[in-house]
Amino acid sequence: NIMLCVSCKKEVPVGAYCCLCGWKQRLQPEACTLMAVYQKWSNRKYPKIGRHCVRDYSNAFKKLEPLYNVPLPEIDVDDLQDLIDACPPSASARQKVRVLLSQLSKYAISRDLLQNPLCAGLDFSGKKAQARPIFSLEQIKVLQTCGKNKTYKYWQDARLLLCLIFTGLRPNELFALRLPNISITQKKIVGGGKTAAGTNRPIPILPAIYDFIAEWYLTSYFLKPQDHENQYLLLNSSGGQKCMDNWRHRGFYPLMFDLGFIGPDVKKHLREVPHLSPYSARHTFATLAYCAGVNKEQLIKIFGHTNFELTSKVYIHEDFEILANEMAKISAYTKESVDLPNTAV
């Protein structure tokens, strides 16, 4: 017996599924489009995860927009591959699309909406990303001068950037720090949270940034004496949490353009042209530490790298003295060296 498949519109043997496209015959195509499945999956998934994860999934899904109204079994592998190849060159962007497709596939297969995973046979390697620019030692010295000069328009932004450079914290991790994360007496930050290895990792506060952090700490401490546990280290003009995205556009980039670290020709093409960004500070930290001879195992702990097999469950108090000694090498290196290599490690 022959039937006409609801999905691919071809004549196939009678059965619960189409032998050509795998369509479950009792379903209408619109019930199994990429958009329909995404909405059902996200309604279950998003209430269980953090807002940053939700944002990553949402951004990954936007890259699949041309396929929103296509039923899953009808999605052409080549069309999907074209969309993946069009993703930004960073491995992170393609990885987020891969994870999303894997999650949607599991959801659809478990509900008999799909037979084979969407990401089977796809290439997520993409083009090799260009090396991220890092701050030179000369630029770091300029930032230090700016941070000390309170008459300079962007002195606070220079200080904030120096804290990123000398801690290795991701920008969002620095903005999320609360007062309990800081020990001024022990000169220590305990922060981070993107990965298991990076959650609540101890980071020594170097002399180059100690005064800045101490000043922010005391300002925040006395602003709300009754609520130290919930008070953020970095505050906006209203006394609330300073916004990372707002600082990027109103503080970081104006500082970069003002100092000539990013040329005016790049200003209109920030997304396309490799340039210094807030995340360049983290790469700069890694390069500084590497060039200064910081012990690799200790660097991975400070850096919160995800592929470190946690020896990090060792007591923080016992580890901290070792970390502080290793971080001291960075201070010595920045005083003695002329410049950094061109690429971050």
Side-chain angles (χ1 to χ4, degrees):
N1 293 333
I2 300 298
M3 67 178 185
L4 186 68
C5 176
V6 174
S7 178
C8 66
K9 310 300 181 186
K10 294 181 180 178
E11 291 187 346
V12 294
V14 172
Y17 294 90
C18 172
C19 63
L20 296 180
C21 70
W23 185 257
K24 192 172 183 179
Q25 291 304 308
R26 66 179 176 82
L27 292 174
Q28 292 301 311
E30 58 272 15
C32 197
T33 61
L34 183 63
M35 174 61 81
V37 171
Y38 170 79
Q39 289 175 335
K40 293 175 183 176
W41 168 81
S42 61
N43 287 339
R44 289 177 172 270
K45 182 76 173 180
Y46 286 179
K48 303 175 184 177
I49 59 178
R51 59 187 179 90
H52 293 303
C53 292
V54 170
R55 181 195 61 194
D56 288 344
Y57 280 129
S58 299
N59 289 338
F61 188 63
K62 289 176 183 177
K63 295 175 174 59
L64 305 175
E65 184 176 0
L67 301 177
Y68 279 1
N69 297 317
V70 180
L72 266 62
E74 291 184 38
I75 290 178
D76 185 87
V77 175
D78 291 330
D79 291 341
L80 196 50
Q81 185 66 63
D82 288 343
L83 294 179
I84 293 166
D85 292 340
C87 286
S90 71
S92 174
R94 295 189 300 276
Q95 172 68 3
K96 287 168 184 173
V97 174
R98 187 194 69 77
V99 172
L100 174 65
L101 289 174
S102 176
Q103 293 276 329
L104 292 178
S105 296
K106 288 179 181 178
Y107 178 87
I109 290 172
S110 69
R111 286 157 177 78
D112 291 332
L113 303 176
L114 188 68
Q115 287 189 314
N116 300 308
L118 291 170
C119 32
L122 294 173
D123 178 16
F124 291 89
S125 59
K127 298 177 181 178
K128 186 177 180 181
Q130 292 179 279
R132 185 185 294 270
I134 60 174
F135 293 92
S136 67
L137 284 176
E138 190 58 42
Q139 289 173 325
I140 293 172
K141 290 172 184 175
V142 170
L143 290 170
Q144 288 175 320
T145 301
C146 294
K148 292 175 184 176
N149 180 11
K150 293 190 177 183
T151 62
Y152 177 59
K153 183 177 180 180
Y154 301 110
W155 66 279
Q156 284 280 31
D157 303 301
R159 289 185 169 194
L160 207 157
L161 180 54
L162 286 167
C163 286
L164 289 172
I165 291 173
F166 284 104
T167 61
L169 284 165
R170 298 176 180 87
N172 283 327
E173 291 176 333
L174 178 62
F175 280 76
L177 290 178
R178 299 176 189 262
L179 294 188
N181 296 119
I182 313 293
S183 174
I184 296 299
T185 54
Q186 295 180 342
K187 299 183 179 180
K188 176 173 66 174
I189 294 171
V190 178
K194 183 176 180 181
T195 64
T199 299
N200 293 330
R201 59 190 187 273
I203 302 171
I205 302 174
L206 292 176
I209 58 172
Y210 177 80
D211 290 344
F212 308 156
I213 292 178
E215 186 175 321
W216 289 331
Y217 182 92
L218 293 174
T219 300
S220 183
Y221 185 91
F222 289 110
L223 187 64
K224 292 184 179 179
Q226 308 303 322
D227 193 23
H228 293 156
E229 288 296 316
N230 298 313
Q231 186 70 334
Y232 287 97
L233 175 69
L234 297 173
L235 305 176
N236 59 26
S237 57
S238 303
Q241 182 186 13
K242 196 172 184 69
C243 175
M244 167 63 197
D245 290 333
N246 190 45
W247 174 74
R248 180 193 287 113
H249 296 294
R250 296 189 180 185
F252 175 79
Y253 283 123
L255 171 66
M256 294 295 97
F257 293 128
D258 190 66
L259 295 178
F261 291 178
I262 297 179
D265 53 323
V266 180
K267 197 168 185 178
K268 295 180 181 179
H269 308 284
L270 285 177
R271 291 186 179 275
E272 293 82 16
V273 180
H275 61 278
L276 290 168
S277 69
Y279 212 85
S280 296
R282 184 166 161 83
H283 286 251
T284 304
F285 171 83
T287 305
L288 279 172
Y290 178 79
C291 293
V294 173
N295 176 277
K296 184 178 179 181
E297 183 174 313
Q298 303 307 323
L299 170 58
I300 291 174
K301 289 184 183 181
I302 298 166
F303 205 58
H305 216 271
T306 54
N307 62 2
F308 179 71
E309 289 202 20
L310 238 28
T311 338
S312 62
K313 287 193 177 180
V314 186
Y315 294 102
I316 289 177
H317 179 73
E318 293 180 356
D319 281 351
F320 186 73
E321 187 175 350
I322 302 173
L323 297 178
N325 290 336
E326 293 297 329
M327 287 281 278
K329 295 178 182 179
I330 296 178
S331 292
Y333 179 79
T334 54
K335 290 178 182 178
E336 296 169 4
S337 301
V338 178
D339 214 336
L340 289 174
N342 289 327
T343 49
V345 292

